[in-house]
Amino acid sequence: MRKSFLAAAFAALLAAPAGADPAADGAQAWRTLTRIDLEAHYQLLKRDHPGASSEAGDPAFVEALEAAHAEALGRADRVTTLTGYAATLAGFVHALGDSHINSYMSVLPRTVDWTGIVAARRGAGWVVAADEPKLTGRELAGAEIVSCDSRPVADLAKDVLRFHANPAVAAEQALFGGWLLVDDGNPFLKRPTACVLRKDGVESTQTLTWKPISYAALRQQYWKTPIGHAGFGVRPVAGGGYWISLEELDAKDQPVIDAVKAQAAAIRDAAFVVVDLRGDGGGDDAYGRALATALMGEGFVDDVLGPSSEGGGCASVFRVTPGNAAFLTRAARSFGRNGDATAQKEYEKGVADIAAARARGRDLTGPPRCAGPAKPPVSRRRPSLAKAPILVLSDAACFSSCINTVWFFRDLGAIQVGQATDSDTHYSEVRDMVLPSGLSTATLLTAIIPDAPPRIGPFEPKFAYGGDIAATADLEAWVAGQVVPQLKRQGAAAWE
């Protein structure tokens, strides 16, 4: 087994000559590790991400990459520990504005410091979602967080979340907002000493006492991620509707799609249909389109969305590099072993396209923009086979191909309910690589969706759900008892 750079670096540290300063040498080792891994990720993006190719025509991506790299190099010079290493790499990737590009640590912290408060984004503000009165001295759950150390809480959130997420996206604020008053040892942040809270209309100052807590205990007992879990299946629900659940977009969806086809007549004539995507972080949006086709008919879907890539539409455009070709080859084999013939075929085509483009001396397998075949005017579209109103249910976990699936359904006339989705870009097909130290895994994107806009989402629901998005029974009652009656009262205007 090959030694990691980390093991080699610390072996050298232990063998340092007598009289050396272990603390100084240790800090220098961490700075060296940080620079090496940062440079590896940066070079990977420059070499293999399509946005860094001149053929992509995306100067904004190139500028963001160079700015993020320069800022991270400045932080790397101040790293002395593992937490500084992690924060430097995290700040680098999240500055690029697409959470497909990430850096995943091989180890999680055993302990973090907290104040007895887990914060959460609620609407346009921040609240105490959970608390520990033994540490805070009083019950604070539900209180609004106004400011911390005389700074608006939104400013603190922006500073903290740029090391964990894209702070400009509400869905990512919802997913990672618990870090607001939790300290993972990031040396580039100053933790606050007091916050102004508002509860029952009264403002008060809460002194923050920072204490260690097991990270596992924090997540299990206090920090509840605000997402649901759709599962997989098709079932009738109260009110004469059908509930179709796809928690991932992969081969596990095919039995669900087959079940929809088998029950198509009843489902299409139901009082309503819910497509439940809670907890869906993406996969292959071909399954989302296949479900739409099973519900509404191929003619209608093709007329509205245009033909699929297999049907003559725009195909994915890959960055032409040996690393991307090797990734696609491995992934195609893996999909084949797992019975996902759709993804296997797509990736095998990507490998062939890269070989052909390399022979032509091109950096991309095709033009970065593609309008696709002309779509028929609305007056000549084939009608949808579904008479039932279709609702697409999303939560903050909806990312990547889930965002595309919500986009498809909205364009097809479905009504989005639940929570806003995340957002991403027209870059796709995630690849990963373990960084030289072995401490973290870097990710990048390898392709362009040429008929998509540069930024996709976030998509906001027409009917927002303010309760616990994980409580399926309550959601069913809300849809049947509140959403569907409103749609009936609004009539055709609700579908515009």
Side-chain angles (χ1 to χ4, degrees), residues 10 27 40 71 97 106 117 154 157 159 175 181 186 278 298 311 361 372 415 447:
F10 280 94
E71 184 178 36
S106 301
I117 293 171
D159 283 350
L175 291 177
L181 294 174
N186 185 339
R278 288 176 299 155
E298 184 174 12
I415 296 295

Side-chain angles (χ1 to χ4, degrees), residues 335-423:
F335 284 128
R337 288 193 297 270
N338 294 332
D340 193 336
T342 300
Q344 179 186 8
K345 184 177 179 181
E346 179 182 353
Y347 277 32
E348 287 174 343
K349 182 180 184 300
V351 174
D353 288 347
I354 286 177
R358 182 183 295 118
R360 299 194 306 269
R362 305 299 299 179
D363 202 31
L364 298 176
T365 59
R369 302 289 181 271
C370 169
K375 301 174 187 177
V378 174
S379 60
R380 294 178 56 190
R381 286 179 185 169
R382 287 165 285 187
S384 171
L385 301 180
K387 298 178 182 177
I390 296 175
L391 311 177
V392 58
L393 171 61
S394 61
D395 63 9
C398 187
F399 183 60
S400 194
S401 290
C402 176
I403 301 173
N404 292 353
T405 296
V406 171
W407 178 25
F408 293 165
F409 272 91
R410 285 168 58 110
D411 281 357
L412 291 164
I415 296 295
Q416 184 185 351
V417 301
Q419 296 176 344
T421 69
D422 206 327
S423 73

Side-chain angles (χ1 to χ4, degrees), residues 97-114:
D98 185 339
S99 291
H100 284 106
I101 304 173
N102 219 318
S103 178
Y104 297 99
M105 292 293 293
S106 301
V107 293
L108 293 174
R110 290 184 179 179
T111 62
V112 293
D113 285 354
W114 80 318

Side-chain angles (χ1 to χ4, degrees), residues 121 161 165-177 225-227 395-399 403 419-423 458-460:
R121 176 70 185 259
L161 292 186
N166 182 350
V169 178
E172 297 197 26
Q173 292 179 15
L175 291 177
F176 299 98
T225 304
I227 64 171
D395 63 9
C398 187
F399 183 60
I403 301 173
Q419 296 176 344
T421 69
D422 206 327
S423 73
F459 292 115
E460 298 280 347

Side-chain angles (χ1 to χ4, degrees), residues 53-396:
S53 168
S54 60
E55 292 182 14
D58 190 352
F61 177 84
V62 175
E63 290 170 9
L65 178 60
E66 296 304 325
H69 181 234
E71 184 178 36
L73 282 174
R75 291 195 183 115
D77 287 339
R78 294 180 280 155
V79 169
T80 59
T81 63
L82 173 64
T83 54
Y85 163 94
T88 298
L89 290 167
F92 168 64
V93 296
H94 292 302
L96 298 175
D98 185 339
S99 291
H100 284 106
I101 304 173
N102 219 318
S103 178
Y104 297 99
M105 292 293 293
S106 301
V107 293
L108 293 174
R110 290 184 179 179
T111 62
V112 293
D113 285 354
W114 80 318
T115 63
I117 293 171
V118 173
R121 176 70 185 259
R122 292 285 187 274
W126 291 85
V127 302
V128 177
D131 67 335
E132 177 46 73
K134 292 179 182 178
L135 186 55
T136 62
R138 54 181 176 145
E139 297 278 354
L140 295 176
E144 179 187 355
I145 305 171
V146 179
S147 63
C148 293
D149 288 354
S150 301
R151 299 178 65 209
V153 68
D155 291 349
L156 174 64
K158 183 177 180 181
D159 283 350
V160 172
L161 292 186
R162 64 191 173 126
F163 292 96
H164 298 279
N166 182 350
V169 178
E172 297 197 26
Q173 292 179 15
L175 291 177
F176 299 98
W179 286 110
L180 186 75
L181 294 174
V182 172
D183 183 4
D184 60 356
N186 185 339
F188 308 114
L189 291 173
K190 180 183 178 183
R191 58 192 193 183
T193 60
C195 291
V196 174
L197 308 180
R198 183 184 296 122
K199 192 170 185 179
D200 299 326
V202 178
E203 289 191 359
S204 62
T205 298
Q206 177 69 29
T207 300
L208 301 179
T209 303
W210 293 87
K211 295 289 185 181
I213 184 174
S214 158
Y215 183 63
L218 175 70
R219 297 307 303 252
Q220 292 167 8
Q221 298 177 32
Y222 301 98
W223 185 343
K224 181 181 179 182
T225 304
I227 64 171
H229 295 283
F232 300 87
V234 181
R235 57 190 173 83
V237 291
Y242 274 85
W243 203 276
I244 304 170
S245 301
L246 299 179
E247 192 170 340
E248 297 175 29
L249 293 167
D250 56 26
K252 292 190 287 293
D253 295 348
Q254 195 56 54
V256 178
I257 295 167
D258 291 342
V260 170
K261 291 178 180 177
Q263 305 172 64
I267 294 173
R268 289 169 178 168
D269 285 339
F272 62 91
V273 174
V274 173
V275 176
D276 186 354
L277 299 176
R278 288 176 299 155
D280 193 328
D284 186 347
D285 58 33
Y287 290 99
R289 181 171 177 137
L291 175 61
T293 298
L295 287 169
M296 305 178 205
E298 184 174 12
F300 176 69
V301 171
D302 284 355
D303 285 353
V304 175
L305 301 183
S308 65
S309 58
E310 290 184 351
C314 301
S316 292
V317 173
F318 289 90
R319 179 82 183 266
V320 179
T321 70
N324 287 344
F327 153 70
L328 291 173
T329 299
R330 292 192 304 270
R333 291 171 182 164
S334 177
F335 284 128
R337 288 193 297 270
N338 294 332
D340 193 336
T342 300
Q344 179 186 8
K345 184 177 179 181
E346 179 182 353
Y347 277 32
E348 287 174 343
K349 182 180 184 300
V351 174
D353 288 347
I354 286 177
R358 182 183 295 118
R360 299 194 306 269
R362 305 299 299 179
D363 202 31
L364 298 176
T365 59
R369 302 289 181 271
C370 169
K375 301 174 187 177
V378 174
S379 60
R380 294 178 56 190
R381 286 179 185 169
R382 287 165 285 187
S384 171
L385 301 180
K387 298 178 182 177
I390 296 175
L391 311 177
V392 58
L393 171 61
S394 61
D395 63 9

